[in-house]
Amino acid sequence: QVQLVESGGGLVQPGGSLRLSCAASGSIFSINAMGWYRQAPGKQRDLVATITNGRITNYADSVKGRFTISRDNAKSTVYLQMNSLKPEDTAVYYCNAHITPIGSGRSTSAYWGQGTQVTVSS
């Protein structure tokens, strides 16, 4: 089975930094686009940043200039470097990846991690 596991969340003061990691594992033939989303209690899940297999990136306006998404294809891992964190960044952050499993006939599906909590508070 394909799975995504996030790590790196925690508690940080406003203006601080965190780096999130998400590693994909399982019977994977290929990984296409990857990304990060976040969801606060009572709110919808919003896109934070995405990165294609060719490393083309896209960011939500609210995080531009502060967050950086990157990936290491050899490790099947996507990262989110978060700088200048604000209280409104507080949310559960979810990793997303579009993956073709081995034996799937080259069909691609979206997979989600379980989420990692990021809390920005003084």
Side-chain angles (χ1 to χ4, degrees), residues 37-57:
Y37 294 71
R38 65 187 182 186
Q39 186 170 24
K43 297 183 179 180
Q44 68 179 34
R45 186 174 298 185
D46 292 327
L47 182 147
V48 176
T50 60
I51 183 167
T52 69
N53 199 44
R55 293 183 169 83
I56 303 299
T57 59

Side-chain angles (χ1 to χ4, degrees), residues 25-67:
S25 63
S27 301
I28 297 172
F29 178 78
S30 64
I31 303 175
N32 297 309
M34 306 183 80
W36 290 94
Y37 294 71
R38 65 187 182 186
Q39 186 170 24
K43 297 183 179 180
Q44 68 179 34
R45 186 174 298 185
D46 292 327
L47 182 147
V48 176
T50 60
I51 183 167
T52 69
N53 199 44
R55 293 183 169 83
I56 303 299
T57 59
N58 183 60
Y59 298 91
D61 288 342
S62 59
V63 307
K64 285 182 179 178
R66 300 188 297 121
F67 292 9

Side-chain angles (χ1 to χ4, degrees), residues 14 38 40 43 62-63 66-67 84-91 93 118-121:
R38 65 187 182 186
K43 297 183 179 180
S62 59
V63 307
R66 300 188 297 121
F67 292 9
S84 302
L85 283 162
K86 305 174 181 179
E88 50 263 45
D89 295 319
T90 296
Y93 283 69
V118 172
T119 302
V120 185
S121 179

